[in-house]
Amino acid sequence: MAKKKKPIDEDIIIISKSEQKRDHHELQDLAEVLANFNVNQRSTLPLDEELLAALRLADKIRGKHDAYARNLRFVAKQIATLDVEAIKFGIEKIKNRHTIAAFQSSKIEELRDNLIADASQIEPLLSEHEALERQKLRQLVRNASKEVKAEKPAKSYKELFKYLKDCVTFE
């Protein structure tokens, strides 16, 4: 005689044990990445004080294999209580900071060249970025375009780049 099956409530999501293990291993890998970061890099991430204390302990016991592994499992459990996606985003930002800086630098160079070629682009730029000063920007663009036309050393050209780099941010 077959056993009667109980009706399964459709609101409950059943996660297989192997999927739980995969998720836990992913959190452990994330904990190891965090443990390999230095204190300054960790400070930029959205981590709570208890997790930071556990990571400081991991730094101290790195040479003791079993204790270090146990501590990383604890760190993984702590990470599970936080916003994992925000932490992953912060880690990617740290890992790709050179790529991001190169991208921003090329965008600023392109913006500078466009301003020198066409000074009418100053007004839309000023409306997008309130940190820019109208008079200073116009003066730098005017001087840089004169230098480019006269083929002089690019003093204002470099100053314009530095000013834009300081005031304009790209997301």
Side-chain angles (χ1 to χ4, degrees), residues 71-145:
N71 190 288
L72 284 183
R73 286 193 297 271
F74 175 72
V75 169
K77 285 182 184 178
Q78 293 299 316
I79 291 172
T81 63
L82 300 175
D83 185 11
V84 177
E85 293 303 316
I87 294 171
K88 285 181 180 178
F89 180 73
I91 289 171
E92 286 302 315
K93 206 171 174 183
I94 290 170
K95 286 183 175 179
N96 296 326
R97 69 180 182 274
H98 298 297
T99 308
I100 293 169
F103 172 76
Q104 288 180 341
S105 180
S106 67
K107 280 293 201 185
I108 291 173
E109 286 175 358
E110 181 181 320
L111 180 62
R112 175 190 60 194
D113 294 340
N114 289 342
L115 285 173
I116 290 171
D118 184 17
S120 66
Q121 294 182 4
I122 292 175
E123 291 303 320
L125 184 66
L126 288 169
S127 62
E128 288 177 27
H129 304 282
E130 280 88 33
L132 294 170
E133 296 176 22
R134 180 182 316 271
Q135 184 177 356
K136 184 172 184 173
L137 183 63
R138 285 185 185 277
Q139 181 183 12
L140 287 172
V141 169
R142 184 176 52 248
N143 290 344
S145 63

Side-chain angles (χ1 to χ4, degrees), residues 13 37 42 54 77 85 113 119 151 166:
I13 298 172
F37 281 167
R42 289 182 202 152
K77 285 182 184 178
E85 293 303 316
D113 294 340
E151 297 179 6
D166 292 339

Side-chain angles (χ1 to χ4, degrees), residues 19-85:
E19 187 172 344
Q20 289 175 350
K21 287 181 182 179
R22 277 192 295 274
D23 291 343
H24 187 67
H25 285 295
E26 182 181 331
L27 288 175
Q28 282 182 329
D29 293 341
L30 193 59
E32 188 148 0
V33 168
L34 286 176
N36 289 330
F37 281 167
N38 63 36
V39 177
N40 293 334
Q41 290 171 325
R42 289 182 202 152
S43 66
T44 62
L45 298 172
L47 306 174
D48 65 353
E49 192 56 41
E50 187 176 2
L51 182 57
L52 289 171
L55 288 168
R56 283 192 295 270
L57 179 63
D59 290 340
K60 291 179 184 176
I61 62 174
R62 189 175 300 272
K64 299 174 176 85
H65 179 70
D66 292 337
Y68 182 69
R70 191 169 37 254
N71 190 288
L72 284 183
R73 286 193 297 271
F74 175 72
V75 169
K77 285 182 184 178
Q78 293 299 316
I79 291 172
T81 63
L82 300 175
D83 185 11
V84 177
E85 293 303 316

